[in-house]
Amino acid sequence: MDVPIVNRRLLSSIAIGTVIFVAAGLFLLNRGPSTPSNFETGSAGKEISISIPNGATGSDIALLLFKKGVVASSLAFFNAAVVDPKSSTIAPGVHRIALHIPAEEALAQLLDTKRIENLIKVPEGVWTTELLTLMQAEGFSRPELESALKKITAPKGFTGTEGIFFPAQYSFAKGTSALTALQNMVNRFGDEAKNAGLSAGSKEFSSMQLLTIASLVQAEGDESDFAKISQVVRNRLKIGMPLQFDSTIHYIRKTRGQVYLSSDATKISSDYNTYLHYGLPPGPINSPGKLAIKAAMNPEPGPWLYFITVKPRDTRFTDSDAEFLRWKSEYEANLRAGAFGSKS
């Protein structure tokens, strides 16, 4: 019997590129006057498009804005950004921004996602099939996308095209090819995987197996439970217990948002069916985000073998068959009562 997990955060919060503001680099920032001059409010000129590269630092952005005539001095922007925690969420991509504006206003415009041109939001837990549909809606042709999918280069240690498109906000200049756009997402995943230690694997698991665990963690619970779910996977594998995760069946059937899973569904013939097959599925079932990857690498120690969401925002973990069965009865009663919405 599966451990039904509900309240999944499908197509949930978006991870975006971060910008590092390093105080030690202050003396490098000001390429204008020695004092941090600032434009007056109401002095805005025409709007231009500027490209914020992936991995740009605060000093990079400050200098770019100064050279383009957006701010009066790079130091003025740096001073405005370094005291605002939201500055670390400036997304890479092409931004529309006005000329000759105060540094504080420049920061606000960079943080406004409506000003990012050709913005594509890749959600955590996305399937590759969903990603192609999402990009098609943004103007890429399906034949071009499917052709590009065959040509992308996966980071060393990873294979296939599932799980390697890092969830984030992306902005591509008009005319960008599908291959360039998809490869950019893959490259971002490669950087994140390397930074998290995923690329190196572990004593127990290869890099691909860890990515698969991260994808299961992403699909099976909320962020607060990620590290525990990661441990449940390990505990079940250790004793030869089948994972029996609903998420793998939904991946096979390409269904989203369903709570109830019929017994017939658990008999589907597929290597990804964790009811019929022991061990991990042959590969990831989605593209996990940073927190799921972190949890895959760093499980929370515990004896748990079962977890179940008895009602929304009430997920419980146990190593007791009897306790799990009691909770399962409670879950089924809540399901019949409509606590989870539609049964289908």
Side-chain angles (χ1 to χ4, degrees):
M1 177 64 195
D2 177 51
V3 181
I5 289 295
V6 294
N7 192 27
R8 291 182 174 84
R9 302 169 309 102
L10 302 175
L11 305 184
S12 58
S13 59
I14 309 301
I16 62 179
T18 58
V19 175
I20 302 172
F21 288 86
V22 184
L26 266 172
F27 71 97
L28 296 174
L29 291 171
N30 189 20
R31 297 299 190 271
S34 57
T35 48
S37 56
N38 209 358
F39 287 123
E40 297 290 333
T41 301
S43 61
K46 68 176 184 180
E47 289 191 348
I48 63 170
S49 295
I50 62 169
S51 179
I52 304 295
N54 186 37
T57 65
S59 57
D60 294 334
I61 296 174
L63 185 56
L64 175 63
L65 295 178
F66 170 69
K67 287 183 174 180
K68 293 290 187 179
V70 174
V71 295
S73 68
S74 53
L75 185 55
F77 178 80
F78 185 93
N79 287 344
V82 77
V83 297
D84 189 339
K86 290 183 292 186
S87 64
S88 66
T89 65
I90 295 174
V94 181
H95 296 247
R96 288 185 294 103
I97 191 168
L99 295 173
H100 305 139
I101 55 177
E104 295 78 8
E105 188 174 339
L107 176 59
Q109 290 192 14
L110 287 179
L111 290 171
D112 184 357
T113 57
K114 294 179 182 178
R115 287 181 166 271
I116 304 177
E117 298 179 0
N118 305 315
L119 181 65
I120 297 177
K121 296 181 179 181
V122 179
E124 297 170 354
V126 71
W127 302 323
T128 298
T129 52
E130 292 174 319
L131 174 61
L132 297 190
T133 299
L134 185 157
M135 295 185 69
Q136 188 176 1
E138 295 298 325
F140 292 92
S141 76
R142 192 75 181 198
E144 183 189 12
L145 288 165
E146 291 176 349
S147 174
L149 200 61
K150 300 174 183 177
K151 299 175 183 177
I152 60 172
T153 302
K156 185 178 179 180
F158 299 94
T159 59
T161 58
E162 191 70 79
I164 61 172
F165 300 98
F166 191 76
Q169 292 186 151
Y170 298 91
S171 173
F172 301 108
K174 189 174 182 180
T176 299
S177 70
L179 178 57
T180 297
L182 289 174
Q183 190 64 56
N184 185 286
M185 298 175 188
V186 172
N187 293 345
R188 173 71 185 279
F189 164 75
D191 292 340
E192 296 289 345
K194 183 177 180 180
N195 292 339
L198 190 72
S199 299
S202 68
K203 291 181 180 180
E204 294 178 280
F205 302 104
S206 68
S207 54
M208 274 299 292
Q209 289 173 323
L210 287 169
L211 177 58
T212 299
I213 292 174
S215 72
L216 295 172
V217 166
Q218 183 73 65
E220 285 289 329
D222 294 322
E223 291 176 1
S224 59
D225 297 321
F226 279 177
K228 286 185 177 180
I229 296 172
S230 180
Q231 184 63 39
V232 169
V233 172
R234 286 168 165 81
N235 290 345
R236 288 192 171 195
L237 292 175
K238 186 175 182 179
I239 65 173
M241 180 179 178
L243 294 180
Q244 296 183 325
F245 282 175
D246 283 8
S247 56
T248 60
I249 305 300
H250 292 311
Y251 175 71
I252 298 166
R253 300 174 72 187
K254 294 296 182 283
T255 53
R256 286 285 193 188
Q258 294 186 0
V259 175
Y260 177 78
L261 190 69
S262 69
S263 58
D264 286 343
T266 65
K267 300 173 185 176
I268 294 174
S269 177
S270 170
D271 290 342
Y272 283 84
N273 187 338
T274 54
Y275 283 85
L276 295 181
H277 300 283
Y278 288 80
L280 292 170
I285 62 170
N286 59 53
S287 286
K290 183 177 293 187
L291 292 179
I293 291 174
K294 179 180 178 181
M297 298 296 299
N298 302 281
E300 181 177 333
W304 315 290
L305 291 172
Y306 308 99
F307 61 105
I308 183 169
T309 299
V310 175
K311 57 185 177 182
R313 296 176 298 280
D314 183 5
T315 300
R316 304 174 188 178
F317 292 77
T318 184
D319 60 346
S320 166
D321 293 350
E323 189 168 40
F324 169 70
L325 290 174
R326 288 197 301 272
W327 290 346
K328 183 173 178 290
S329 295
E330 189 175 341
Y331 152 75
E332 290 173 341
N334 288 333
L335 179 63
R336 289 192 297 270
F340 299 105
S342 173
K343 183 179 179 181
S344 62

